[in-house]
Amino acid sequence: LTSGTLTSGPKVVEFEKAFAAQHGAKHGVATSNGTTALMAAMMAHGIGPGDEVIIPSFSFFATASCVLSVGARPVFADIYPDTFNMNPAAAEAVITPRTKAIMPVHLYGQPAEMPAFEALCQKHGLVLLEDSAQAHLAAIGDRHVGTWGTASFSFYPTKNMTTTEGGMVLTNDDEIARKLRMIRAQGMNTQYYHEVVGYNFRMTDMAAAIGLVQMGRLPQWTCDRVGNATLFNSKLESVRTPVNRDGYTHVYHQYTVRVPDGVDREAVTKRLNERGIGVRVYYPLPIHRQPVFQNMGGYDKLDLPETEKATAQVFSLPVHPALTDEEKQYIIEEVNASC
């Protein structure tokens, strides 16, 4: 505030470089929020009317709305029942001549099966995007998410780190980074000379300053989340706990469990909330069944059985770093008594 530089300035540049380096990417381009990061990534790759983008239906709505916002058509593929992430085989099954890109979501902080998606995109000549909104510092082996394709992150207040509002696109492609910087600044590379149609997707220096401090704390917060999740995995007996595949670093943006077949999820979550445990359902209605998609034609006939089953069974427990030992023990006892 004292500097007088309130919009994009030196703090944004510093934050971009630091966040990219932390994830092992060449370029970071900061934006106003996670949704504009997704939109800018698609625009930088020339995705637009007539194109199709394959995405999961089990995700936050922005995964699909950004596709619609650039004029393309979302094509939904089913998920794995254990990780809740998009199944590469299901994605390949819906590729058409109009498919331009595939965008896996690292849902809840669990990395999607990126080696398979990388191979799939190379095989079919497609753009590989990553919706990394919930997956700061998630990794496969020693390779972080955000480095497999053009990746978009969110810094919304509920994420593992925040800038109050904000987003970031990571890329290793110099030309895509150049386009991203123009798109987020009204299409300008040189001031008042507009090379492309762009928008005001800029991050403020105030948000970036907050992000720099938060980013420094992110590794410890991540360890705390993983530690809390590890405890829950070992103690919860009445629900199906999250799967963490070998070699995959799950950062637990959400700790999401599912009730066994035949158990009423709504009754369980109601009881837990009444007992003072803030449980939430992410997400109770798949995107392809949202009212807006029912009016578009074709989506009402989709058959995504694993997606439908997950939306009826999952709920998320508190896993944040501020949980006390007493609170964690209380959560364990109450969940085991609720199913």
Short mmCIF file of all heavy atoms in Angstrom, two decimals, residues 33-36 38-39 42 53 55-70 72-76 103 105 107-108 131 133-134 154 159 281-296 299 311:
data_model
loop_
_atom_site.label_atom_id
_atom_site.label_comp_id
_atom_site.label_asym_id
_atom_site.label_seq_id
_atom_site.Cartn_x
_atom_site.Cartn_y
_atom_site.Cartn_z
N ASN A 33 -8.33 -14.52 -10.64
CA ASN A 33 -8.90 -15.65 -9.90
C ASN A 33 -8.67 -16.94 -10.67
O ASN A 33 -8.13 -16.93 -11.80
CB ASN A 33 -10.39 -15.43 -9.59
CG ASN A 33 -11.21 -15.15 -10.84
OD1 ASN A 33 -11.28 -16.00 -11.74
ND2 ASN A 33 -11.83 -13.99 -10.91
N GLY A 34 -9.08 -18.05 -10.09
CA GLY A 34 -8.85 -19.34 -10.73
C GLY A 34 -9.63 -19.53 -12.01
O GLY A 34 -9.16 -20.19 -12.95
N THR A 35 -10.83 -18.96 -12.08
CA THR A 35 -11.65 -19.10 -13.28
C THR A 35 -11.03 -18.34 -14.45
O THR A 35 -10.98 -18.86 -15.58
CB THR A 35 -13.08 -18.59 -13.02
OG1 THR A 35 -13.63 -19.30 -11.92
CG2 THR A 35 -13.96 -18.81 -14.24
N THR A 36 -10.53 -17.13 -14.21
CA THR A 36 -9.88 -16.40 -15.30
C THR A 36 -8.57 -17.06 -15.71
O THR A 36 -8.17 -16.98 -16.87
CB THR A 36 -9.64 -14.93 -14.91
OG1 THR A 36 -8.87 -14.85 -13.71
CG2 THR A 36 -10.96 -14.19 -14.71
N LEU A 38 -8.18 -20.34 -15.85
CA LEU A 38 -8.64 -21.39 -16.75
C LEU A 38 -9.00 -20.81 -18.12
O LEU A 38 -8.63 -21.37 -19.17
CB LEU A 38 -9.85 -22.11 -16.15
CG LEU A 38 -9.59 -23.02 -14.95
CD1 LEU A 38 -10.91 -23.37 -14.28
CD2 LEU A 38 -8.87 -24.29 -15.38
N MET A 39 -9.72 -19.71 -18.12
CA MET A 39 -10.13 -19.09 -19.39
C MET A 39 -8.91 -18.62 -20.18
O MET A 39 -8.82 -18.84 -21.40
CB MET A 39 -11.06 -17.92 -19.12
CG MET A 39 -12.45 -18.33 -18.65
SD MET A 39 -13.48 -16.87 -18.30
CE MET A 39 -13.51 -16.07 -19.91
N MET A 42 -7.08 -21.44 -21.90
CA MET A 42 -7.76 -21.92 -23.11
C MET A 42 -7.60 -20.94 -24.26
O MET A 42 -7.35 -21.34 -25.41
CB MET A 42 -9.23 -22.17 -22.80
CG MET A 42 -9.43 -23.32 -21.85
SD MET A 42 -11.14 -23.82 -21.70
CE MET A 42 -10.93 -25.14 -20.50
N VAL A 53 -13.64 -29.75 -25.47
CA VAL A 53 -12.66 -29.96 -24.41
C VAL A 53 -13.20 -31.05 -23.49
O VAL A 53 -14.32 -30.93 -22.96
CB VAL A 53 -12.40 -28.67 -23.61
CG1 VAL A 53 -11.38 -28.93 -22.50
CG2 VAL A 53 -11.92 -27.55 -24.53
N ILE A 55 -13.50 -33.02 -20.13
CA ILE A 55 -13.33 -32.72 -18.71
C ILE A 55 -14.17 -33.71 -17.90
O ILE A 55 -15.06 -34.37 -18.43
CB ILE A 55 -13.78 -31.28 -18.37
CG1 ILE A 55 -15.26 -31.08 -18.74
CG2 ILE A 55 -12.90 -30.25 -19.06
CD1 ILE A 55 -15.82 -29.75 -18.32
N PRO A 56 -13.89 -33.82 -16.59
CA PRO A 56 -14.78 -34.62 -15.74
C PRO A 56 -16.02 -33.82 -15.38
O PRO A 56 -16.00 -32.58 -15.34
CB PRO A 56 -13.92 -34.88 -14.51
CG PRO A 56 -13.01 -33.70 -14.43
CD PRO A 56 -12.73 -33.29 -15.86
N SER A 57 -17.11 -34.53 -15.11
CA SER A 57 -18.33 -33.88 -14.63
C SER A 57 -18.34 -33.76 -13.11
O SER A 57 -19.12 -32.99 -12.55
CB SER A 57 -19.56 -34.67 -15.09
OG SER A 57 -20.75 -34.05 -14.68
N PHE A 58 -17.46 -34.51 -12.46
CA PHE A 58 -17.37 -34.46 -11.00
C PHE A 58 -16.29 -33.46 -10.63
O PHE A 58 -15.10 -33.80 -10.47
CB PHE A 58 -17.04 -35.85 -10.45
CG PHE A 58 -17.19 -35.97 -8.95
CD1 PHE A 58 -18.32 -35.50 -8.30
CD2 PHE A 58 -16.20 -36.55 -8.19
CE1 PHE A 58 -18.46 -35.61 -6.93
CE2 PHE A 58 -16.32 -36.67 -6.81
CZ PHE A 58 -17.46 -36.19 -6.18
N SER A 59 -16.69 -32.20 -10.51
CA SER A 59 -15.75 -31.11 -10.24
C SER A 59 -16.56 -29.87 -9.90
O SER A 59 -17.80 -29.86 -9.98
CB SER A 59 -14.87 -30.85 -11.48
OG SER A 59 -13.92 -29.83 -11.22
N PHE A 60 -15.86 -28.80 -9.55
CA PHE A 60 -16.51 -27.50 -9.36
C PHE A 60 -16.93 -26.98 -10.72
O PHE A 60 -16.30 -27.24 -11.75
CB PHE A 60 -15.55 -26.54 -8.67
CG PHE A 60 -16.14 -25.18 -8.41
CD1 PHE A 60 -17.27 -25.04 -7.62
CD2 PHE A 60 -15.57 -24.04 -8.95
CE1 PHE A 60 -17.82 -23.79 -7.37
CE2 PHE A 60 -16.11 -22.79 -8.71
CZ PHE A 60 -17.24 -22.66 -7.92
N PHE A 61 -18.00 -26.19 -10.75
CA PHE A 61 -18.63 -25.75 -12.00
C PHE A 61 -17.68 -24.98 -12.91
O PHE A 61 -17.80 -25.04 -14.14
CB PHE A 61 -19.86 -24.89 -11.69
CG PHE A 61 -20.66 -24.53 -12.90
CD1 PHE A 61 -21.41 -25.50 -13.56
CD2 PHE A 61 -20.67 -23.23 -13.38
CE1 PHE A 61 -22.16 -25.17 -14.69
CE2 PHE A 61 -21.41 -22.90 -14.50
CZ PHE A 61 -22.16 -23.87 -15.16
N ALA A 62 -16.68 -24.28 -12.35
CA ALA A 62 -15.77 -23.48 -13.17
C ALA A 62 -15.01 -24.32 -14.17
O ALA A 62 -14.59 -23.82 -15.22
CB ALA A 62 -14.80 -22.69 -12.29
N THR A 63 -14.80 -25.61 -13.86
CA THR A 63 -14.12 -26.49 -14.81
C THR A 63 -14.84 -26.50 -16.15
O THR A 63 -14.21 -26.53 -17.21
CB THR A 63 -14.05 -27.93 -14.25
OG1 THR A 63 -13.36 -27.91 -13.00
CG2 THR A 63 -13.35 -28.88 -15.20
N ALA A 64 -16.16 -26.43 -16.11
CA ALA A 64 -16.96 -26.44 -17.34
C ALA A 64 -17.30 -25.04 -17.83
O ALA A 64 -17.31 -24.78 -19.04
CB ALA A 64 -18.25 -27.22 -17.12
N SER A 65 -17.58 -24.11 -16.91
CA SER A 65 -18.00 -22.78 -17.34
C SER A 65 -16.92 -22.05 -18.13
O SER A 65 -17.22 -21.27 -19.04
CB SER A 65 -18.43 -21.93 -16.14
OG SER A 65 -17.33 -21.67 -15.28
N CYS A 66 -15.65 -22.33 -17.82
CA CYS A 66 -14.57 -21.68 -18.57
C CYS A 66 -14.54 -22.18 -20.00
O CYS A 66 -14.19 -21.42 -20.92
CB CYS A 66 -13.23 -21.90 -17.88
SG CYS A 66 -12.69 -23.62 -17.84
N VAL A 67 -14.91 -23.44 -20.23
CA VAL A 67 -14.99 -23.97 -21.59
C VAL A 67 -16.09 -23.25 -22.36
O VAL A 67 -15.91 -22.80 -23.49
CB VAL A 67 -15.24 -25.50 -21.58
CG1 VAL A 67 -15.32 -26.04 -23.01
CG2 VAL A 67 -14.15 -26.22 -20.79
N LEU A 68 -17.25 -23.12 -21.73
CA LEU A 68 -18.36 -22.41 -22.35
C LEU A 68 -18.02 -20.95 -22.60
O LEU A 68 -18.41 -20.37 -23.62
CB LEU A 68 -19.60 -22.49 -21.46
CG LEU A 68 -20.18 -23.89 -21.23
CD1 LEU A 68 -21.28 -23.83 -20.18
CD2 LEU A 68 -20.74 -24.45 -22.53
N SER A 69 -17.26 -20.35 -21.69
CA SER A 69 -16.95 -18.92 -21.79
C SER A 69 -16.09 -18.59 -23.00
O SER A 69 -16.12 -17.46 -23.48
CB SER A 69 -16.25 -18.45 -20.51
OG SER A 69 -17.13 -18.55 -19.41
N VAL A 70 -15.29 -19.54 -23.49
CA VAL A 70 -14.49 -19.29 -24.69
C VAL A 70 -15.19 -19.78 -25.95
O VAL A 70 -14.63 -19.75 -27.04
CB VAL A 70 -13.08 -19.92 -24.57
CG1 VAL A 70 -12.33 -19.33 -23.39
CG2 VAL A 70 -13.15 -21.44 -24.50
N ALA A 72 -16.34 -22.89 -26.57
CA ALA A 72 -16.15 -24.31 -26.88
C ALA A 72 -17.22 -25.15 -26.18
O ALA A 72 -18.04 -24.63 -25.41
CB ALA A 72 -14.76 -24.76 -26.47
N ARG A 73 -17.20 -26.44 -26.43
CA ARG A 73 -18.21 -27.35 -25.86
C ARG A 73 -17.54 -28.32 -24.90
O ARG A 73 -16.59 -29.03 -25.28
CB ARG A 73 -18.91 -28.13 -26.97
CG ARG A 73 -19.98 -29.11 -26.45
CD ARG A 73 -20.70 -29.80 -27.60
NE ARG A 73 -21.64 -30.82 -27.12
CZ ARG A 73 -22.87 -30.57 -26.68
NH1 ARG A 73 -23.31 -29.31 -26.67
NH2 ARG A 73 -23.66 -31.56 -26.27
N PRO A 74 -18.02 -28.38 -23.64
CA PRO A 74 -17.50 -29.38 -22.72
C PRO A 74 -18.00 -30.77 -23.09
O PRO A 74 -19.18 -30.95 -23.42
CB PRO A 74 -18.08 -28.95 -21.37
CG PRO A 74 -18.62 -27.57 -21.57
CD PRO A 74 -18.99 -27.48 -23.01
N VAL A 75 -17.09 -31.73 -23.06
CA VAL A 75 -17.43 -33.14 -23.26
C VAL A 75 -17.01 -33.87 -21.99
O VAL A 75 -15.84 -33.80 -21.59
CB VAL A 75 -16.73 -33.73 -24.49
CG1 VAL A 75 -16.98 -35.23 -24.59
CG2 VAL A 75 -17.20 -33.03 -25.76
N PHE A 76 -17.95 -34.55 -21.36
CA PHE A 76 -17.69 -35.12 -20.04
C PHE A 76 -17.28 -36.59 -20.13
O PHE A 76 -17.85 -37.37 -20.89
CB PHE A 76 -18.93 -35.00 -19.16
CG PHE A 76 -19.31 -33.57 -18.88
CD1 PHE A 76 -20.41 -32.99 -19.50
CD2 PHE A 76 -18.56 -32.80 -18.01
CE1 PHE A 76 -20.76 -31.68 -19.25
CE2 PHE A 76 -18.90 -31.48 -17.75
CZ PHE A 76 -20.00 -30.91 -18.37
N MET A 103 -8.65 -31.78 -20.26
CA MET A 103 -8.29 -31.08 -19.03
C MET A 103 -8.68 -31.92 -17.81
O MET A 103 -9.80 -31.84 -17.31
CB MET A 103 -8.97 -29.71 -18.95
CG MET A 103 -8.52 -28.91 -17.73
SD MET A 103 -9.02 -27.17 -17.78
CE MET A 103 -10.78 -27.32 -17.52
N VAL A 105 -8.75 -32.81 -13.85
CA VAL A 105 -8.81 -32.02 -12.61
C VAL A 105 -8.12 -32.82 -11.51
O VAL A 105 -8.39 -34.01 -11.34
CB VAL A 105 -10.27 -31.74 -12.20
CG1 VAL A 105 -10.32 -30.97 -10.88
CG2 VAL A 105 -11.00 -30.97 -13.30
N LEU A 107 -8.58 -33.42 -8.40
CA LEU A 107 -9.67 -33.16 -7.47
C LEU A 107 -9.26 -33.43 -6.02
O LEU A 107 -8.64 -34.46 -5.73
CB LEU A 107 -10.88 -34.01 -7.84
CG LEU A 107 -12.20 -33.56 -7.19
CD1 LEU A 107 -12.65 -32.21 -7.74
CD2 LEU A 107 -13.29 -34.60 -7.42
N TYR A 108 -9.65 -32.51 -5.15
CA TYR A 108 -9.38 -32.59 -3.71
C TYR A 108 -7.90 -32.54 -3.37
O TYR A 108 -7.53 -32.76 -2.22
CB TYR A 108 -9.99 -33.86 -3.10
CG TYR A 108 -11.46 -34.07 -3.34
CD1 TYR A 108 -11.96 -35.33 -3.67
CD2 TYR A 108 -12.36 -33.01 -3.24
CE1 TYR A 108 -13.32 -35.53 -3.88
CE2 TYR A 108 -13.73 -33.21 -3.45
CZ TYR A 108 -14.19 -34.47 -3.77
OH TYR A 108 -15.54 -34.67 -3.99
N ASP A 131 -6.45 -28.58 -14.55
CA ASP A 131 -7.18 -27.79 -13.56
C ASP A 131 -6.57 -28.16 -12.20
O ASP A 131 -6.91 -29.16 -11.59
CB ASP A 131 -8.66 -28.12 -13.61
CG ASP A 131 -9.50 -27.26 -12.66
OD1 ASP A 131 -8.92 -26.73 -11.70
OD2 ASP A 131 -10.71 -27.14 -12.86
N ALA A 133 -6.64 -26.20 -9.47
CA ALA A 133 -7.16 -25.24 -8.51
C ALA A 133 -7.03 -25.70 -7.07
O ALA A 133 -6.85 -24.88 -6.16
CB ALA A 133 -8.63 -24.93 -8.83
N GLN A 134 -7.10 -27.02 -6.85
CA GLN A 134 -7.10 -27.56 -5.49
C GLN A 134 -5.81 -28.28 -5.14
O GLN A 134 -5.75 -28.98 -4.12
CB GLN A 134 -8.28 -28.53 -5.33
CG GLN A 134 -9.63 -27.92 -5.64
CD GLN A 134 -10.78 -28.92 -5.52
OE1 GLN A 134 -10.58 -30.10 -5.26
NE2 GLN A 134 -11.99 -28.43 -5.72
N SER A 154 -5.89 -21.85 -8.32
CA SER A 154 -6.74 -20.86 -7.65
C SER A 154 -6.17 -20.52 -6.29
O SER A 154 -5.62 -21.38 -5.61
CB SER A 154 -8.16 -21.43 -7.47
OG SER A 154 -8.94 -20.59 -6.63
N LYS A 159 -8.69 -22.27 -0.38
CA LYS A 159 -7.66 -23.15 -0.92
C LYS A 159 -6.52 -23.33 0.09
O LYS A 159 -6.46 -22.66 1.12
CB LYS A 159 -7.12 -22.56 -2.24
CG LYS A 159 -8.18 -22.48 -3.34
CD LYS A 159 -8.72 -23.85 -3.68
CE LYS A 159 -9.62 -23.85 -4.91
NZ LYS A 159 -10.92 -23.19 -4.70
N VAL A 281 -20.49 -31.43 1.40
CA VAL A 281 -20.53 -32.34 0.25
C VAL A 281 -20.00 -31.60 -0.97
O VAL A 281 -20.56 -30.61 -1.41
CB VAL A 281 -21.96 -32.85 -0.03
CG1 VAL A 281 -21.98 -33.70 -1.30
CG2 VAL A 281 -22.47 -33.65 1.16
N TYR A 282 -18.88 -32.09 -1.49
CA TYR A 282 -18.28 -31.57 -2.72
C TYR A 282 -18.20 -32.72 -3.73
O TYR A 282 -17.32 -33.56 -3.61
CB TYR A 282 -16.86 -31.04 -2.48
CG TYR A 282 -16.73 -30.01 -1.39
CD1 TYR A 282 -16.29 -30.38 -0.11
CD2 TYR A 282 -17.02 -28.68 -1.62
CE1 TYR A 282 -16.16 -29.43 0.89
CE2 TYR A 282 -16.88 -27.72 -0.62
CZ TYR A 282 -16.46 -28.11 0.62
OH TYR A 282 -16.32 -27.17 1.62
N TYR A 283 -19.15 -32.89 -4.61
CA TYR A 283 -20.19 -31.96 -5.05
C TYR A 283 -21.48 -32.76 -5.16
O TYR A 283 -21.45 -33.90 -5.65
CB TYR A 283 -19.80 -31.33 -6.38
CG TYR A 283 -18.50 -30.55 -6.24
CD1 TYR A 283 -17.29 -31.15 -6.51
CD2 TYR A 283 -18.50 -29.23 -5.77
CE1 TYR A 283 -16.10 -30.45 -6.35
CE2 TYR A 283 -17.32 -28.52 -5.61
CZ TYR A 283 -16.12 -29.15 -5.89
OH TYR A 283 -14.95 -28.48 -5.71
N PRO A 284 -22.63 -32.22 -4.74
CA PRO A 284 -23.85 -33.03 -4.66
C PRO A 284 -24.53 -33.27 -6.00
O PRO A 284 -25.37 -34.17 -6.10
CB PRO A 284 -24.75 -32.18 -3.75
CG PRO A 284 -24.30 -30.77 -3.97
CD PRO A 284 -22.81 -30.87 -4.18
N LEU A 285 -24.21 -32.48 -7.02
CA LEU A 285 -24.83 -32.64 -8.33
C LEU A 285 -23.76 -32.54 -9.41
O LEU A 285 -23.05 -31.53 -9.48
CB LEU A 285 -25.89 -31.55 -8.56
CG LEU A 285 -26.75 -31.68 -9.82
CD1 LEU A 285 -27.64 -32.91 -9.75
CD2 LEU A 285 -27.60 -30.42 -10.02
N PRO A 286 -23.60 -33.58 -10.24
CA PRO A 286 -22.56 -33.49 -11.27
C PRO A 286 -22.84 -32.35 -12.25
O PRO A 286 -24.00 -31.94 -12.43
CB PRO A 286 -22.63 -34.86 -11.96
CG PRO A 286 -23.97 -35.41 -11.62
CD PRO A 286 -24.35 -34.84 -10.29
N ILE A 287 -21.79 -31.86 -12.88
CA ILE A 287 -21.93 -30.68 -13.73
C ILE A 287 -22.90 -30.94 -14.87
O ILE A 287 -23.74 -30.08 -15.20
CB ILE A 287 -20.57 -30.23 -14.28
CG1 ILE A 287 -19.63 -29.84 -13.13
CG2 ILE A 287 -20.74 -29.05 -15.23
CD1 ILE A 287 -18.22 -29.51 -13.58
N HIS A 288 -22.84 -32.12 -15.48
CA HIS A 288 -23.70 -32.37 -16.64
C HIS A 288 -25.18 -32.42 -16.28
O HIS A 288 -26.04 -32.35 -17.15
CB HIS A 288 -23.28 -33.66 -17.37
CG HIS A 288 -23.65 -34.93 -16.65
ND1 HIS A 288 -22.94 -35.40 -15.56
CD2 HIS A 288 -24.65 -35.82 -16.86
CE1 HIS A 288 -23.47 -36.53 -15.15
NE2 HIS A 288 -24.51 -36.81 -15.92
N ARG A 289 -25.50 -32.52 -14.97
CA ARG A 289 -26.89 -32.49 -14.54
C ARG A 289 -27.31 -31.13 -13.99
O ARG A 289 -28.45 -30.96 -13.54
CB ARG A 289 -27.12 -33.57 -13.48
CG ARG A 289 -26.92 -34.97 -14.01
CD ARG A 289 -28.02 -35.92 -13.59
NE ARG A 289 -27.79 -37.26 -14.09
CZ ARG A 289 -28.19 -37.70 -15.28
NH1 ARG A 289 -28.82 -36.87 -16.11
NH2 ARG A 289 -27.95 -38.94 -15.66
N GLN A 290 -26.43 -30.16 -14.03
CA GLN A 290 -26.79 -28.81 -13.61
C GLN A 290 -27.85 -28.25 -14.55
O GLN A 290 -27.86 -28.56 -15.75
CB GLN A 290 -25.56 -27.90 -13.60
CG GLN A 290 -24.50 -28.29 -12.59
CD GLN A 290 -24.93 -28.07 -11.15
OE1 GLN A 290 -25.85 -27.30 -10.87
NE2 GLN A 290 -24.27 -28.75 -10.22
N PRO A 291 -28.77 -27.43 -14.04
CA PRO A 291 -29.86 -26.93 -14.89
C PRO A 291 -29.40 -26.28 -16.18
O PRO A 291 -30.03 -26.47 -17.23
CB PRO A 291 -30.57 -25.92 -13.98
CG PRO A 291 -30.31 -26.42 -12.60
CD PRO A 291 -28.93 -27.01 -12.64
N VAL A 292 -28.29 -25.55 -16.14
CA VAL A 292 -27.84 -24.86 -17.34
C VAL A 292 -27.49 -25.85 -18.45
O VAL A 292 -27.73 -25.59 -19.64
CB VAL A 292 -26.64 -23.94 -17.03
CG1 VAL A 292 -25.43 -24.73 -16.54
CG2 VAL A 292 -26.25 -23.12 -18.25
N PHE A 293 -26.96 -27.02 -18.10
CA PHE A 293 -26.61 -28.01 -19.11
C PHE A 293 -27.82 -28.79 -19.61
O PHE A 293 -27.81 -29.29 -20.74
CB PHE A 293 -25.54 -28.96 -18.57
CG PHE A 293 -24.15 -28.40 -18.66
CD1 PHE A 293 -23.56 -27.79 -17.56
CD2 PHE A 293 -23.45 -28.45 -19.85
CE1 PHE A 293 -22.29 -27.25 -17.65
CE2 PHE A 293 -22.18 -27.91 -19.95
CZ PHE A 293 -21.60 -27.31 -18.84
N GLN A 294 -28.85 -28.86 -18.80
CA GLN A 294 -30.05 -29.57 -19.25
C GLN A 294 -30.75 -28.83 -20.38
O GLN A 294 -31.55 -29.41 -21.12
CB GLN A 294 -31.00 -29.76 -18.06
CG GLN A 294 -30.45 -30.65 -16.96
CD GLN A 294 -30.00 -32.01 -17.45
OE1 GLN A 294 -30.82 -32.82 -17.89
NE2 GLN A 294 -28.70 -32.28 -17.42
N ASN A 295 -30.45 -27.55 -20.53
CA ASN A 295 -31.06 -26.76 -21.59
C ASN A 295 -30.22 -26.69 -22.86
O ASN A 295 -30.58 -26.00 -23.81
CB ASN A 295 -31.34 -25.33 -21.09
CG ASN A 295 -32.31 -25.31 -19.93
OD1 ASN A 295 -33.24 -26.11 -19.89
ND2 ASN A 295 -32.10 -24.41 -18.97
N MET A 296 -29.07 -27.36 -22.88
CA MET A 296 -28.15 -27.25 -24.01
C MET A 296 -28.30 -28.38 -25.02
O MET A 296 -27.83 -28.28 -26.14
CB MET A 296 -26.71 -27.21 -23.52
CG MET A 296 -26.36 -25.93 -22.81
SD MET A 296 -24.62 -25.91 -22.37
CE MET A 296 -24.57 -24.42 -21.38
N TYR A 299 -26.82 -33.45 -23.11
CA TYR A 299 -26.20 -33.77 -21.82
C TYR A 299 -27.12 -34.61 -20.93
O TYR A 299 -26.64 -35.32 -20.03
CB TYR A 299 -25.81 -32.50 -21.09
CG TYR A 299 -24.66 -31.76 -21.74
CD1 TYR A 299 -24.86 -30.58 -22.43
CD2 TYR A 299 -23.36 -32.26 -21.68
CE1 TYR A 299 -23.81 -29.90 -23.04
CE2 TYR A 299 -22.31 -31.61 -22.28
CZ TYR A 299 -22.54 -30.42 -22.96
OH TYR A 299 -21.49 -29.77 -23.57
N THR A 311 -21.35 -38.67 -6.40
CA THR A 311 -22.10 -37.50 -5.92
C THR A 311 -23.12 -37.88 -4.85
O THR A 311 -23.52 -37.03 -4.05
CB THR A 311 -22.82 -36.79 -7.08
OG1 THR A 311 -23.72 -37.70 -7.72
CG2 THR A 311 -21.84 -36.24 -8.08
#
